[in-house]
Amino acid sequence: MNLLKKCCSCFRKKTDGTSTSTSHQLSHPTTDFKGQPRLPTFAVPIRYDIQLKPDLAACKFEGIVSIVVNIVADTRFIVLNAAAQLHINPDSVYFSDPNSNKVFEKPKVGKVEADEILVLEFSETLPKGTGVLTIGFEGVLNDKMKGFYISTYDHNGEKKNMAVTQFEPAYARQCFPCWDEPSFKAKFNITLLDVPSELVTLSNMPVDEEELNGNLKTVYYQESPVMSTYLVAVVIGLFDYIEDHTPDGIKVRVYSQVGKANQGKFALHVALQTLGFYKDYFQMPYSLPKLDMVAIPDFAFGAMENYGLVTYRETDLLFDDHHSAAANKQRVATVVAHELAHQWFGNLVTMEWWTDLWLNEGFATWMSYMAKDKLFPEWKIWTQFFDHESSEGLRLDGLAKSHPIEVEVNHASEIDEIFDTISYKKGASIIQMLKGYVGGPHFQNSLATYIKRHAWSNARTNDLWAVLKEECNEPTIDKIMNSWTKQEGYPVLSVKMKNQTLEIKQWIIPITYCCGDYDSLISLLMEKKSETYDIKDLLSNITDPARSWIKLNVEQIGFFRVKYDDGLAAKLRYAIEHKCLSVTDRLGILDDSFALCMAREMSLTSLLTFMAAYREELEHTVLSNLIKIIGKIERIVADARPELMNYIKQFFIGLLLPAVANFGWDPKQGESHLDAMSRGDIFTALAVLGHEETINEANSRFNAFLNDRNTPLLHPDIRKAAYVAVMQKVTSSNKEGLESLLKVYRETDLSQEKTRILGSLASCPDESVVYEALNFALSSEVRKQDAVFGLAVSKEGREVAWKWLKNNWDKIRTTYGSGLLLTRFVGPIVSSFASSDKMKEIGKFFGNRTQASMVRTLKQSMEQIYINSKWVQTIRNDKDLAEAVKKLANK
C-alpha cells in the first residue's frame, strides 16, 4: 500500500477548510541563487510522496509533498523549483531527520520568481544523508494547457471539466515543488484525494487501492520506478476505454470521450504491435506494468510521452473509419509510434540536460519510421522520410539563425525554443545517415547496448558516440558526428565532371554515388574539403543515355545538398523523365534544386525547366514535394513577376493533370494508401491554382455532402480539397460557401473534420473573408491549440493577415501566454513576405513585444523575409524567364 495512506487524515486536517492565508508572506528571496542555469546539487531527491486534492469545479488544487532527500554536502539551504503561480504555505515547510528524529522547522522561505526557484534557508546546518522535506502548496487549474490544467468537454449536452497535466519541459513546478530538471530522477508515490467517484483517475502507475467516501474517492497509485519530473502525469475526467494485452501481459488501454471508444481501435492495434517491435529491436522489454493512452480535447502538443500514461490530441490518437482520411491514419500511427519510442529513448534513458534534447526527439522520430515500416510495409514509409523529415530539416538548417543540434540551454525559459525542426527532423536525419554509414545490424546492436548501459539513468550525446565506437569498431564516429551536432548548417557538395573524373568539394562526410544504375553503388568517407574520383571504369561501357547519369547521396541518406554542373544535371533530368531513378532520388534532386534556386545558386528558369521532367510523376512522396514547391514558387512569382502568374499557373496545372487522370476523384478498389493520400493533395493544389474544372466538381460534391454527410461523393481523402475549392468562390458579397462550412464545423464532433475545415477557411482570395476567417480561428468556437490551423492564408490575404496579427497580438499573448503555441502565430504569417520594408515594419512592431520563447522563431522568420526579398530581385533580373515560362505553359 502507498505509505501516504497513513498520513491522509493528517493532510485533511491541515488543509480542509483552512486555505493558506495571504498574511503568510514569503521572506525576501535569497539572492545567492538568482540567475543560475541549473539547480545546486548539495541536496538530491530520491522519492516524492505527492498528495493532490483537485477541485475541478472551482479550477484549483491543493496538496502536500514529502520528498526523501539526500543531503550530500554541508548546507543550511535546500533549493528546488516552484513556479510563481504555485503558492507555498511557509508554516507547512519542515525537514525531518529520521536518524535523530529531529525536525527542522520554520525555515526562511524565499522565491526567485524569474528563475522559478524556491529557496529554503534553515537556521542550522542540515545533517548529511537522507531526510524528508515536507511542503504544503496551493495552485490554480489553469487554461494554458501546461502544468496542471483544465480541459473542457461536452457530456449529454453539459459542459464539463477534466484535469490534465503537461509537465514537459519544465512545468511540473507549476503543480508541486520539485527538482524540475531531467537529471534529478526519483521515484514517485502519487495519491489523489476527494475526487468525484464517477470520474476516471489515471497516473503513471496502476492503482494500488481506492477508498470510497460517499460520492468521493481517494486513489493511491503504486510507486513508480525512477523517472524525471517532466514525465509525471495525472488525468481526471469522464472517459470510455478499450483495452488489450501484449503477449507478455502488458495491459494497454486507449481512453477517449464517452461514445468515441471505437475510434481508439487503430491506435490500440498500433500500440500493441509497436511495443513488441521495440522490445525486440532494443532487446529490452517495456518497463512498466501498463500503458494508458488518453485523448485530451485541449492539448498544446501532438502528444506527450508521460511514462505509462501517454496523452494525445484527439486528432493524433482517434481514427474514424467513415470520416477520417488516409493521411489521418498515418498521422495516428506516426504519433503513437513516436511516443512509444520515448518509453525507451527518453523515459528509460533520459537526456542529462535539455542540450541533448535531440537524443529524445530525434531518436523517437527516427524510430517511428522503423516501427511504421515494420507494421505497414505497403506505406513505403522510408520514401516519405526525406520529404517529411530531411527536407524540412535542411530548410530550417539553411538559415543563419538556425542552431546546432546540441544547443546550450542556459535558462528554463529557453527550453521551448529548441522543440523545433532541428531537434526532431535534423536529429532523425543524421541518425538515418549514421545508420547508413555503420550498417543496420551494427547500429541496432549499438542502440541496444546504449539502452542497457544507461537504463534508469541519464545520458549525453558523447555516451552514444562511445557505444557506437565500441560496437561498430569505428574510432572516428565522434569526430565525424560532431560536425553535424555541434554546429549549425550542412554541406552543399559541388560536383563537376572533368575528363571522366568527379570533382567534389565540401566537409568531412560519408558519401555515396552511383553511375547509370544502382549496382555500381560506391560508399566512402570524404575526409578533405576537395576530392577527385576516377570513374573511367564505371563509364567505359555506357552508351545508353538512360544509363549515363551520376547520382550522389544515393537514396538521400546523407544530410546535405548536392549541386551538379550543367552537364550532370541534364543527364539527371533525362533519367528522371524516363523513370531511371528511384523514388527517393527523384525527390531528393527536386528538393535540392529548389533549395539552390532559393539560395540564388540556380535560376528560376532552370528550375522550372527541370520541373518539367516531373510531368508524368505519380509517386506520392515526389508529388507531395512537387506540390509544396509549386506553392512557394507561385507566391514568390506573385511578388516578383505578377505579369507571368497566368503562365506559371498554366504550367503547374499541366504538371499535375496527368496525376488527376490516373487517380480520379473516387477511391479505386485495392488502391494503395499512398495513392489515397495523393488524391487529396493534388485536388487541393489544383483548387488553389484556380483550376476551374476542379473547383466546380469539388463544389458539386460538397453540395451533395451538405445534403447527406455519408455520401460516397465526398470521401474523407478529398474533403480538404473540396473545402478549399468552396472557399475559392466565397466573396464578401457571397458568403454562402463559408456559412455552409461553418455549419459543418459546428455540427461535427470529429476533431479531424474541424481542423480540415479550419485549415481551409483563410485560403479564400478575398481579403475581407480572410480577416473574418482569422477572427473565427481566435473565437471561443475553436479550441486554443487548433487556432494555428486557421493561419493557412492565401497569397492574396497575406497583408490582411499581418494587420490581423498586429490588431490581435495582445489578445493572443494573453490567451496563450508564452511558449510554443505563441510562436506558432508568428512564423506562418511573418515569413511569407518578401520585402525589406516589410521586414523593418515587422521588426519595429515586435521590438518591445518579444518574449524569450519566440526570439529564435522571430529571427528565423525575419531571415526568411530577407532571403525572399533577395530571391525576388534575382527573379526580376532573370531575362530568360518570361519566354521560358510561356513555352512551358503552352506545352
Side-chain angles (χ1 to χ4, degrees), residues 114-249:
D115 299 323
E116 298 186 317
I117 62 171
L118 181 66
V119 180
L120 309 177
E121 183 180 356
F122 292 88
S123 59
E124 54 185 306
T125 300
L126 300 174
K128 288 183 182 179
T130 58
V132 180
L133 174 68
T134 300
I135 306 173
F137 54 89
E138 290 182 345
V140 173
L141 293 170
N142 68 77
D143 63 352
K144 306 297 184 186
M145 295 180 286
K146 59 187 178 183
F148 201 11
Y149 74 92
I150 284 290
S151 177
T152 62
Y153 60 102
D154 292 322
H155 180 63
N156 295 331
E158 183 182 355
K159 186 176 181 180
K160 291 183 174 290
N161 290 340
M162 67 173 68
V164 185
T165 56
Q166 169 60 48
F167 290 164
E168 189 181 34
Y171 302 131
R173 65 190 68 179
Q174 293 187 10
C175 181
F176 59 95
C178 56
W179 278 258
D180 201 12
E181 295 179 5
S183 62
F184 290 110
K185 284 190 164 185
K187 295 181 178 181
F188 291 83
N189 285 302
I190 294 175
T191 302
L192 298 177
L193 297 168
D194 294 349
V195 178
S197 57
E198 73 275 12
L199 298 184
V200 174
T201 58
L202 303 171
S203 189
N204 304 86
M205 298 297 290
V207 172
D208 188 28
E209 186 178 348
E210 282 191 10
E211 286 183 351
L212 286 175
N213 181 17
N215 61 352
L216 298 176
K217 63 182 177 182
T218 293
V219 187
Y220 306 90
Y221 294 92
Q222 295 175 17
E223 184 174 84
S224 77
V226 293
M227 61 182 180
S228 303
T229 49
Y230 78 87
L231 297 169
V232 175
V234 168
V235 174
I236 305 168
L238 200 59
F239 295 100
D240 276 346
Y241 70 85
I242 56 173
E243 74 173 28
D244 204 339
H245 293 77
T246 65
D248 46 354

Side-chain angles (χ1 to χ4, degrees), residues 334-348:
T334 297
V335 178
V336 170
H338 180 106
E339 301 310 319
L340 298 197
H342 276 309
Q343 306 302 304
W344 284 263
F345 259 99
N347 300 8
L348 185 60

